[in-house]
Structure formats: C-alpha cells, structure tokens
Amino acid sequence: MARWLWVAVALAAVPALAQKPAKPGADDKGGDKNQTQISADQGIEWDKNSHVYIARGNARVTRGDRTISADRITAHHRGEGTSRSDIYRVDAEGSVRIADGDNVMTGDRGVYDNDNKVARLTGRNLSMTSPDSKLTARDSFEYWDEKRMAVARGNVVVVRGSEEMRADQAVAYFEPKDGSQPDPKSRGGKQRIARIEAFGRVYIASCQGYAHADKGLYDPNTGTAVLTGNVRLTRGREQVNGDTIEMNTRTGYTRIISGGGGGRVQATIEPNKDAATPDTKPTDRPGAPPCDDKTASSPEGKPKQQR
C-alpha cells in the first residue's frame, strides 16, 4: 500500500507561496493558512548532506489555495546554520501542475526560484488556464510573482471565447479577477489577464475578422487591440493595410494610422459579383472564429505552427 506522508515546512510554491508565516492561532477555525505541507504517495526523504527534501509519487506542495503537484518534487534549503524552512528553490518533474485558485499552469518540468520569486516551466503541454481563457506555448513559460507577469515563448496561443491571438512570444500581465487594483502585499488569489503584449508574427482573430502584424497590444477583457508593423486586417471582403491599426475585436471598430514617415494607408473592398447577394460575413469564411463557440479557430492565412 502506498504511503501518504505530510511534512509541515515553510516552502515556496508557485506563484506566491513564500509569504511571512502568520502568528500561531491566526486561523482558529482551520489552522494556520500560511502553513506549507508536502505530501507524496511513495514517501518523503530529507538528505542532510545535500540539504534537500525529496518527495516522490504524486508529490504535492500546498499552501493556502496554491498547490504544486508532480511525479517528483525536490525542495532545496540552505543547509547548516539555517532553518530547515529556509527553502531557496523548488524543483518539480513529471506532469507538473500548479494550481492557484481557479488558475492552473502545466508543464513537464518546473523550477521555482524563491529568492527572485520566479517560476519557469518547460517541456510539453505548457499552458495556463482560467475559467474564461487559456494561454499555451511551445518552448517555455515563466511567471514573475511580484510583477504579476507571465512570459510565454514559442508558438504562443491565447484563446478567450471566440477570440484568439497567436505570436512568437507574449507577455501577459495579471490583475485581481474583480478588476480591482493589485495589493502588493497579497500576490495570490484569483487572477485574470489584464493585457497581453505580443511580438513576432502576431495574429489575432474574432467574429469581426482577423489581422496580421509584427507587434500587438491586446486587452482580452474589452477586446481592444493595437497592432503595429506591416498590419493586414481582413474583414469580410474588406482588406486594410497600414502601419498601425486600433481595433475592437467585438464591436468591429477600426482606426487606421499611417506610419511616422507619412506613409499612406490602404483599404481594398471587393465588390459583390451578385448585387442580390449580401457581403460575406467573417463567420461565413471557412475556418473563421465561430461566434457561438468557446474555442476560436483561425481563418485562412494564419501563421503555421513551427516544429
């Protein structure tokens, strides 16, 4: 029978488990909410010489609403002369899953740097999901606790309802889920993406059309986006080219801005061949984002995924 072991230590978990311990009795009803626990099916060992705790088999590190789970977890402490609770790094290997409230990050391998409050995930199945959005990447995923910032690299895809953004790299900034101003003393809890900065082969699609650009700034909560650099916007039979385009993926509002060098903007409208036939809507195009579906697919001309 597998063993189920618990160790109460002040570990740092992702994205914000390293907080000052509460005073004894701070939570009279359910114990100390700041207490960190390690659990594992196959056992936990303490290597005194290497100054590590090693948990194997469905290993978990939990503090408050946040939990790291993996096949194997290694917690490094500073050694002799320091408290055993002075953990400076946590390594997780195999089916890594980090849950913080209703936000979940996944990957094959994870490292949390407690000194700098930074988590890094690599391997397959890199993602960060919440009830209303999902962010995936191919190469790496970082979460900076104190900055409330995530950096995704390699074929980044952000999906929210019928809206989708793709890029080579993206930086996502988070805020409390209720939209209030972040409390610098409280870095956990439920969060949502406040804005996304995208770089390299940016592509954004919604029921209003789709666009390509070199860079993009996107607010998934309002649908507003500012695209810059070789922008090509397609909406039905309309084709708009420019250096900078401000758009709203939900209302269809579009503002075209010429470059600083005085370049011209261009809009091309394809006339109907049959006057009795109405203009084609973006959702009528094969592969366009479905307005009545939670997952947005991409229209023709989307960036191809790299291997």
Side-chain angles (χ1 to χ4, degrees):
M1 179 181 295
R3 291 177 292 169
W4 186 260
L5 304 179
W6 294 90
V7 176
V9 294
L11 286 178
V14 180
L17 291 182
Q19 301 175 6
K20 293 182 180 180
K23 295 180 180 180
D27 184 4
D28 295 331
K29 295 182 180 181
D32 186 356
K33 292 182 179 180
N34 288 308
Q35 185 183 67
T36 300
Q37 295 178 319
I38 305 177
S39 65
D41 287 349
Q42 298 175 8
I44 301 172
E45 65 182 79
W46 173 40
D47 188 330
K48 181 178 180 181
N49 295 326
S50 299
H51 312 305
V52 296
Y53 293 97
I54 302 174
R56 296 184 175 90
N58 190 28
R60 295 181 183 178
V61 176
T62 302
R63 182 169 182 166
D65 293 333
R66 303 175 185 91
T67 300
I68 295 179
S69 60
D71 296 336
R72 172 187 168 115
I73 290 178
T74 304
H76 303 258
H77 67 85
R78 299 193 187 278
E80 299 298 332
T82 63
S83 169
R84 292 182 184 176
S85 64
D86 188 7
I87 303 297
Y88 65 90
R89 191 176 82 232
V90 176
D91 298 338
E93 303 175 25
S95 303
V96 179
R97 184 179 186 273
I98 303 169
D100 176 12
D102 53 7
N103 293 328
V104 177
M105 293 184 288
T106 64
D108 285 338
R109 296 173 297 277
V111 176
Y112 183 69
D113 179 348
N114 187 38
D115 292 339
N116 296 302
K117 305 297 185 292
V118 179
R120 179 180 174 84
L121 294 174
T122 57
R124 299 169 297 176
N125 303 317
L126 295 174
S127 70
M128 184 170 189
T129 59
S130 64
D132 56 3
S133 63
K134 182 175 183 178
L135 187 154
T136 61
R138 181 195 61 200
D139 298 336
S140 65
F141 185 90
E142 295 175 1
Y143 183 85
W144 296 70
D145 180 15
E146 295 184 343
K147 297 180 180 179
R148 290 179 178 265
M149 178 183 76
V151 181
R153 298 182 176 90
N155 285 341
V156 180
V157 180
V158 181
V159 175
R160 179 186 171 99
S162 59
E163 300 170 14
E164 176 181 349
M165 169 177 269
R166 295 175 180 260
D168 292 335
Q169 179 174 319
V171 181
Y173 297 89
F174 294 81
E175 65 182 5
K177 196 170 183 180
D178 59 6
S180 61
Q181 291 297 318
D183 181 356
K185 296 182 180 180
S186 177
R187 301 185 183 99
K190 298 181 179 181
Q191 302 181 85
R192 68 178 186 182
I193 298 176
R195 71 182 189 277
I196 300 171
E197 297 176 0
F199 308 91
R201 295 187 299 175
V202 176
Y203 161 81
I204 187 168
S206 73
C207 295
Q208 297 296 330
Y210 59 96
H212 299 259
D214 295 333
K215 298 179 181 179
L217 178 62
Y218 172 54
D219 182 342
N221 299 299
T222 63
T224 57
V226 178
L227 305 176
T228 59
N230 302 309
V231 183
R232 293 174 289 126
L233 171 64
T234 301
R235 186 167 53 191
R237 290 191 172 93
E238 300 176 352
Q239 175 72 54
V240 178
N241 300 327
D243 182 75
T244 301
I245 291 181
E246 298 177 1
M247 59 182 292
N248 189 294
T249 58
R250 298 169 193 173
T251 66
Y253 168 83
T254 303
R255 180 169 177 256
I256 310 163
I257 304 172
S258 63
R264 295 171 60 82
V265 298
Q266 177 178 316
T268 301
I269 302 176
E270 178 184 344
N272 291 326
K273 295 181 179 180
D274 185 353
T277 302
D279 288 342
T280 302
K281 298 179 181 179
T283 51
D284 294 332
R285 292 176 57 87
C291 291
D292 57 351
D293 193 276
K294 296 297 182 182
T295 302
S297 58
S298 306
E300 301 167 352
K302 74 176 182 181
K304 294 181 178 179
Q305 296 288 303
Q306 295 181 348
R307 294 182 180 275

